[in-house]
Amino acid sequence: MIQTGPRKPLLRALAGETLPLPPWWLMRQAGRYLPEYRQIRAKAHDFIELCLTPALAAELTLQPIRRYGMDGAILFSDILMLPHALGQKLAFHEREGPVLERIEDTAGIARLAPDRIASSLEPVFETVRQVRDALDSRTTLIGFAGAPWTVATYMVEGRGSKDQAETRLFAYRERHDFQRLIDLLVETSADYLLNQVNAGATALQIFDSWSGSLPEDEFARWCIEPTRRIVERVNGSAPDVPIIGFPRGSGPLALRYARETGIDAIGCDTSLPLGWIGSELQPLLPVQGNLDPLLLVAGGAGLDARVKSTLAALGDGPFIFNLGHGIQPDTPIAHVERLIRLVKTPSD
Ligand code: CP3
C-alpha cells in the first residue's frame, strides 16, 4: 500500500490522526534528571556555552532518545538564547536560574540588535543539522522558541518571577514601548523558528510558560496576537511544519488561544481537567499533555492510575502523551521507565 502523508508517529498525531498508542515525549526531557546530562554539564563550565557548542548540544538532545526512545527529540537550547543573541546580557546561576540585564525603557529596547541573531544563533542551527543527521527515521526533531510574552517577562524583570507583576505594569503603563518589544520578538522568533526548520526541525513548539498571569484582554493582545503572527509567518514559508502552542496556566482562555492563534496542536498544562480537554479542546485540534511532573517524581499507584485515566480520557482522539510542564530534576529514572511501560504497553 502506498503511504501518503507523514509516517512518523508524532507527525501523524499532529496531523490529526488517532493512533492506537499515542506518541510521547517529555517537556525538558534533556536535562538534570539524567546522569549522562550531569556528567557533560559538570565538564562545561557554562550553560550558554553548552547551548552554543553544536557537538555537545546535539549529544544532549539525543541522550533521552537513546535511553527511552521518545517519539520527539527536542533541540537542546533555551528560550533565553534569543535575548542573548539580541545582545542582552544573560547568565545562568546555579540554583538561581537565569539572570538578565533588565530592559527598563525605550533605550533598553533600542539597544537590542535583531540583525545579529542569524549569525549569533548559527551554532544552534548547526546543532539542529547534526541532530537531524544522527536521528533515526521514526523520531521527530522538535525546534522551539519562547512566546514573545514569556520571553519579554524575563527581559523586563531580569529573572523568573512569581506573578510577572513588573512586566504587567510595564505593559499597562508603557503600552507603545511594550508593543515595540513584542513586535521585535515576533519578528525575530519567527525568523529563529524558520531557521530551525531550514536546518532540519520538522515540528515546532512555542512555550508560553507565563501566559497564565494575564486577564483576558491582555492575554488576547500579548499572548494570542503575537503567537498568531508568528504562526502566520512560519506557515507562510513552511506550511507543512506543525506548530504546538503551550499557553501554560491560561485556563479557559486556552480555548480562545486554540481557536485564534492558528496553531496545529495545543500543549495542556497540569491544571486543565481531562474531561474539559476532551470535550472542548480535542474536537478542535490535537492535544498534548498533561501529567503532573510531581506525580512522576512521586511514582507509585497514583502515577499508574493517572496515566491510565489520561489515556482513557484522551486516547480515542488525536493525542500526544507528555507532562503538563517540564520534568523535575529529582525525577527517579525508574519512574520514567514505568511511565513508558504504561504508555506503550497499557494492557500490562
Ligand atoms: O529538554 C529540553 O526541553 C530541551 C531544552 C530546553 C531547556 N529549556 C534547557 C534548559 C527547553 C525547551 C527549555 C525551555 C525553557 N527555558 C522555558 C520554557 C519551558 C518551561 O519550563 O516553562 C523557560 C521558562 C526557560 C528559562 C529557563 N532556563 C529557566 C527558568 C532555567 C532555570 C531553571 C530550570 O528549569 O533549570 C533554565 C535553565 C535550563 N534550561 C536548564 C536546561 C537543561 C538547566 C541548566 C543547568 O543545567 O544548569
Side-chain angles (χ1 to χ4, degrees), residues 25-32 37 41 47 50-51 64 74-80 92-94 96-98 144 146 150 154 160 207-210 246 248 325-326 329:
W25 63 283
L26 302 176
M27 285 190 279
R28 306 292 298 273
Q29 66 192 17
R32 284 172 297 185
Y37 170 83
R41 178 73 180 87
F47 175 72
L50 215 49
C51 292
I74 186 156
L75 165 70
F76 186 87
S77 182
D78 197 86
I79 65 165
L80 300 178
F92 285 86
H93 297 302
E94 202 63 42
E96 209 187 327
F144 71 91
T150 288
Y154 287 95
F207 287 90
D208 215 342
S209 304
W210 296 120
F246 178 55
R248 189 170 76 94
H325 197 196

Coordinates of all heavy atoms in Angstrom, one line a residue, residues 25-32 37 41 47 50-51 64 74-80 92-94 96-98 144 146 150 154 160 207-210 246 248 325-326 329, ligand 1:
W25 N 6.6 12.4 24.3 CA 7.9 12.9 24.7 C 7.7 13.7 26.0 O 6.5 13.8 26.4 CB 8.5 13.8 23.5 CG 7.7 15.1 23.2 CD1 6.5 15.1 22.4 CD2 8.0 16.4 23.5 NE1 6.1 16.4 22.3 CE2 7.0 17.2 22.9 CE3 9.0 17.0 24.2 CZ2 7.0 18.6 23.1 CZ3 9.0 18.4 24.4 CH2 8.0 19.2 23.8
L26 N 8.7 14.2 26.6 CA 8.6 14.9 27.8 C 9.2 16.3 27.8 O 10.3 16.4 27.4 CB 9.3 14.1 29.0 CG 8.8 12.7 29.2 CD1 9.7 12.0 30.2 CD2 7.3 12.6 29.5
M27 N 8.4 17.3 28.2 CA 9.0 18.6 28.2 C 10.2 18.6 29.1 O 10.2 18.1 30.2 CB 7.9 19.6 28.6 CG 6.9 19.9 27.4 SD 5.9 21.3 27.8 CE 4.7 20.5 28.8
R28 N 11.3 19.3 28.7 CA 12.5 19.4 29.4 C 13.2 18.0 29.5 O 13.9 17.8 30.5 CB 12.4 20.1 30.7 CG 11.7 21.5 30.6 CD 12.6 22.5 29.9 NE 13.8 22.7 30.6 CZ 13.9 23.6 31.6 NH1 12.9 24.4 31.9 NH2 15.1 23.8 32.1
Q29 N 13.0 17.1 28.6 CA 13.5 15.8 28.7 C 15.0 15.7 28.7 O 15.6 14.7 29.1 CB 12.9 14.9 27.6 CG 13.3 15.3 26.2 CD 12.5 14.6 25.1 OE1 11.4 14.0 25.4 NE2 13.0 14.5 23.9
A30 N 15.7 16.7 28.1 CA 17.1 16.7 28.1 C 17.6 17.5 29.3 O 17.4 18.7 29.2 CB 17.7 17.3 26.8
G31 N 18.1 16.9 30.3 CA 18.4 17.8 31.4 C 18.8 17.0 32.7 O 19.2 15.8 32.7
R32 N 18.7 17.7 33.8 CA 19.4 17.3 35.0 C 18.9 16.0 35.7 O 19.6 15.5 36.5 CB 19.3 18.5 36.0 CG 20.2 19.6 35.7 CD 20.0 20.8 36.6 NE 18.6 21.3 36.3 CZ 18.1 22.4 36.9 NH1 18.8 23.0 37.8 NH2 16.9 22.8 36.6
Y37 N 23.5 13.6 31.4 CA 23.5 15.0 31.2 C 24.4 15.7 32.3 O 25.2 16.5 32.0 CB 22.1 15.6 31.4 CG 22.1 17.1 31.5 CD1 22.1 17.9 30.3 CD2 22.0 17.8 32.7 CE1 22.1 19.3 30.4 CE2 22.1 19.2 32.8 CZ 22.1 19.9 31.6 OH 22.1 21.3 31.7
R41 N 27.4 18.3 31.8 CA 27.2 19.6 32.4 C 28.3 19.9 33.4 O 28.8 21.1 33.4 CB 25.9 19.6 33.2 CG 25.5 20.9 33.9 CD 25.1 21.9 32.9 NE 24.8 23.2 33.6 CZ 25.6 24.1 33.9 NH1 26.9 24.0 33.6 NH2 25.2 25.2 34.5
F47 N 26.4 27.0 31.0 CA 25.2 26.5 30.3 C 25.1 27.1 28.9 O 24.7 26.4 27.9 CB 24.0 26.7 31.1 CG 22.7 26.3 30.4 CD1 22.4 25.0 30.3 CD2 21.8 27.3 30.0 CE1 21.2 24.6 29.6 CE2 20.6 26.9 29.4 CZ 20.3 25.6 29.2
L50 N 27.3 25.6 26.5 CA 26.8 24.3 26.2 C 25.8 24.4 25.0 O 25.9 23.7 24.0 CB 26.1 23.7 27.4 CG 26.1 22.2 27.7 CD1 27.5 21.6 27.6 CD2 25.5 21.9 29.1
C51 N 24.9 25.4 25.1 CA 23.9 25.6 24.1 C 24.6 26.0 22.8 O 24.0 25.8 21.7 CB 22.9 26.7 24.5 SG 21.8 26.2 25.9
P64 N 18.2 11.5 25.8 CA 17.0 10.9 26.3 C 16.4 10.0 25.2 O 15.7 9.0 25.6 CB 16.1 12.1 26.5 CG 16.6 13.3 25.8 CD 18.1 13.0 25.7
I74 N 13.6 17.0 21.4 CA 13.5 18.5 21.4 C 15.0 19.0 21.5 O 15.8 18.5 22.3 CB 12.6 19.0 22.5 CG1 12.5 20.6 22.4 CG2 13.1 18.6 23.9 CD1 11.3 21.2 23.0
L75 N 15.2 19.9 20.6 CA 16.5 20.6 20.5 C 17.0 21.0 21.9 O 16.2 21.6 22.6 CB 16.3 21.8 19.6 CG 17.4 22.9 19.6 CD1 18.7 22.3 18.9 CD2 17.0 24.2 18.9
F76 N 18.2 20.7 22.2 CA 18.8 21.2 23.4 C 19.3 22.7 23.2 O 20.3 23.0 22.5 CB 20.0 20.4 23.9 CG 20.5 20.8 25.2 CD1 19.9 20.3 26.4 CD2 21.5 21.8 25.4 CE1 20.3 20.8 27.6 CE2 21.9 22.3 26.6 CZ 21.3 21.7 27.7
S77 N 18.6 23.6 23.9 CA 18.9 25.0 23.8 C 18.1 25.7 24.9 O 17.7 25.0 25.9 CB 18.5 25.6 22.4 OG 18.9 27.0 22.4
D78 N 17.8 26.9 24.8 CA 16.9 27.6 25.8 C 16.1 28.7 25.2 O 16.6 29.3 24.3 CB 17.8 28.1 27.0 CG 16.9 28.4 28.2 OD1 16.7 27.4 29.0 OD2 16.4 29.5 28.4
I79 N 15.0 29.0 25.7 CA 14.2 30.1 25.2 C 14.9 31.4 25.3 O 14.7 32.4 24.6 CB 12.8 30.2 25.8 CG1 12.8 30.6 27.3 CG2 12.0 28.9 25.6 CD1 11.4 31.0 27.8
L80 N 15.8 31.5 26.3 CA 16.5 32.8 26.5 C 17.8 33.0 25.6 O 18.4 34.0 25.7 CB 16.9 32.9 28.0 CG 15.7 32.9 28.9 CD1 16.1 32.9 30.4 CD2 14.7 34.0 28.6
F92 N 23.4 32.1 33.6 CA 22.6 31.1 34.4 C 23.4 30.8 35.7 O 24.5 30.3 35.6 CB 22.4 29.8 33.6 CG 21.4 30.0 32.5 CD1 21.8 30.5 31.2 CD2 20.1 29.6 32.7 CE1 20.9 30.6 30.2 CE2 19.1 29.8 31.7 CZ 19.5 30.3 30.4
H93 N 22.8 31.1 36.8 CA 23.5 30.8 38.1 C 22.9 29.5 38.7 O 21.7 29.3 38.7 CB 23.3 32.0 39.0 CG 23.9 33.2 38.5 ND1 25.3 33.3 38.2 CD2 23.4 34.5 38.2 CE1 25.6 34.5 37.8 NE2 24.5 35.2 37.8
E94 N 23.8 28.8 39.3 CA 23.4 27.5 40.0 C 22.3 27.9 41.0 O 22.5 28.8 41.8 CB 24.6 27.0 40.7 CG 24.6 25.5 41.0 CD 24.5 24.6 39.8 OE1 25.2 24.8 38.8 OE2 23.7 23.7 39.8
E96 N 19.8 29.5 41.0 CA 19.1 30.8 40.9 C 18.4 30.9 39.6 O 17.5 31.8 39.5 CB 20.2 31.9 41.0 CG 19.7 33.2 41.7 CD 20.7 34.2 41.6 OE1 21.9 33.9 41.6 OE2 20.4 35.4 41.4
G97 N 18.7 30.1 38.6 CA 18.1 30.2 37.3 C 18.7 31.4 36.5 O 19.8 31.9 36.9
P98 N 18.1 31.8 35.4 CA 18.7 32.8 34.6 C 18.6 34.2 35.2 O 17.7 34.6 35.9 CB 17.7 32.8 33.3 CG 16.5 32.2 33.8 CD 16.8 31.3 35.0
F144 N 12.1 24.9 18.8 CA 11.2 25.7 19.7 C 11.7 27.1 19.9 O 12.8 27.5 19.5 CB 11.1 25.0 21.1 CG 12.4 25.1 21.9 CD1 12.6 26.2 22.8 CD2 13.4 24.2 21.8 CE1 13.7 26.3 23.5 CE2 14.6 24.3 22.6 CZ 14.7 25.4 23.4
G146 N 10.5 30.5 22.8 CA 9.6 31.0 23.8 C 8.6 31.9 23.1 O 8.9 32.5 22.1
T150 N 6.3 35.5 27.2 CA 7.1 34.8 28.2 C 8.6 35.3 28.1 O 9.2 35.6 29.2 CB 7.0 33.3 28.0 OG1 5.7 32.9 28.5 CG2 8.1 32.5 28.8
Y154 N 11.1 37.8 31.1 CA 12.5 37.6 31.5 C 13.3 38.8 31.2 O 14.2 39.3 31.9 CB 13.1 36.4 31.0 CG 12.6 35.1 31.6 CD1 11.5 34.4 31.0 CD2 13.1 34.6 32.8 CE1 11.0 33.2 31.6 CE2 12.7 33.5 33.4 CZ 11.6 32.8 32.8 OH 11.1 31.6 33.4
G160 N 13.2 35.1 36.4 CA 11.9 34.5 36.5 C 11.2 35.1 37.8 O 11.8 35.5 38.7
F207 N 6.7 28.0 23.6 CA 6.5 27.9 25.0 C 6.0 29.2 25.6 O 6.7 30.2 25.6 CB 7.8 27.6 25.8 CG 8.2 26.1 25.6 CD1 9.1 25.8 24.5 CD2 7.9 25.2 26.5 CE1 9.5 24.5 24.4 CE2 8.3 23.8 26.4 CZ 9.2 23.5 25.3
D208 N 4.7 29.3 26.0 CA 4.2 30.5 26.7 C 4.0 30.2 28.2 O 2.9 30.1 28.7 CB 3.0 31.1 26.0 CG 3.0 32.6 26.1 OD1 3.7 33.2 26.9 OD2 2.2 33.2 25.3
S209 N 5.1 30.0 28.9 CA 5.1 29.5 30.2 C 4.4 30.4 31.2 O 3.9 29.9 32.2 CB 6.6 29.2 30.7 OG 7.2 28.4 29.8
W210 N 4.4 31.7 30.9 CA 3.8 32.6 31.9 C 2.5 33.3 31.3 O 2.1 34.3 31.8 CB 4.8 33.7 32.2 CG 6.0 33.2 32.9 CD1 7.3 33.3 32.5 CD2 6.1 32.5 34.2 NE1 8.2 32.7 33.4 CE2 7.4 32.2 34.5 CE3 5.1 32.1 35.1 CZ2 7.9 31.5 35.6 CZ3 5.5 31.4 36.3 CH2 6.9 31.1 36.5
F246 N 1.9 26.2 23.6 CA 1.8 25.8 25.0 C 1.5 27.0 25.9 O 2.4 27.6 26.4 CB 3.1 25.1 25.5 CG 3.1 24.6 26.9 CD1 2.2 23.8 27.4 CD2 4.2 25.0 27.7 CE1 2.2 23.4 28.8 CE2 4.3 24.6 29.1 CZ 3.3 23.8 29.6
R248 N 0.7 28.0 29.0 CA 0.6 27.4 30.4 C -0.2 28.3 31.3 O 0.1 29.5 31.3 CB 2.0 27.2 30.9 CG 2.0 26.4 32.2 CD 3.4 26.0 32.7 NE 4.1 27.1 33.2 CZ 4.2 27.4 34.5 NH1 3.6 26.6 35.4 NH2 4.9 28.4 35.0
H325 N 4.1 20.2 32.4 CA 5.2 21.2 32.5 C 6.5 20.4 32.5 O 6.5 19.1 32.3 CB 5.1 22.1 33.7 CG 5.9 23.3 33.6 ND1 6.2 24.1 34.7 CD2 6.4 24.0 32.5 CE1 6.9 25.2 34.3 NE2 7.1 25.1 33.0
G326 N 7.6 21.0 32.6 CA 8.9 20.4 32.4 C 9.2 19.3 33.5 O 8.8 19.4 34.7
P329 N 14.1 17.9 38.0 CA 15.5 17.4 38.1 C 15.6 16.2 39.1 O 16.4 15.3 38.9 CB 16.3 18.5 38.7 CG 15.6 19.8 38.4 CD 14.1 19.4 38.3
Ligands
CP3_1 O1 15.0 19.3 27.3 C1 14.5 20.2 26.7 O2 13.3 20.5 26.7 C2 15.4 21.0 25.8 C3 15.9 22.2 26.2 C4 15.2 23.3 27.0 C5 15.8 23.9 28.1 N1 15.0 25.0 28.5 C6 17.1 23.5 28.7 C7 17.5 24.0 30.0 C8 13.9 23.9 26.7 C9 12.9 23.6 25.7 C10 13.8 25.0 27.7 C11 12.7 25.9 27.8 C12 12.6 27.0 28.8 N2 13.7 27.6 29.3 C13 11.4 27.5 29.3 C14 10.0 27.1 28.8 C15 9.5 25.9 29.4 C16 9.3 25.9 30.9 O3 10.0 25.2 31.6 O4 8.4 26.7 31.4 C17 11.8 28.5 30.2 C18 10.8 29.4 31.0 C19 13.2 28.6 30.2 C20 14.1 29.5 31.0 C21 15.0 28.8 31.9 N3 16.1 28.1 31.5 C22 14.9 28.7 33.4 C23 13.9 29.4 34.2 C24 16.0 27.9 33.8 C25 16.4 27.6 35.2 C26 15.6 26.7 35.9 C27 15.5 25.3 35.3 O5 14.4 24.9 34.9 O6 16.5 24.6 35.1 C28 16.7 27.5 32.6 C29 17.9 26.6 32.6 C30 17.9 25.4 31.8 N4 17.3 25.3 30.5 C31 18.5 24.2 32.1 C32 18.2 23.3 31.0 C33 18.7 21.9 30.8 C34 19.3 23.8 33.3 C35 20.6 24.4 33.2 C36 21.7 23.7 34.0 O7 21.9 22.5 33.8 O8 22.2 24.4 34.9

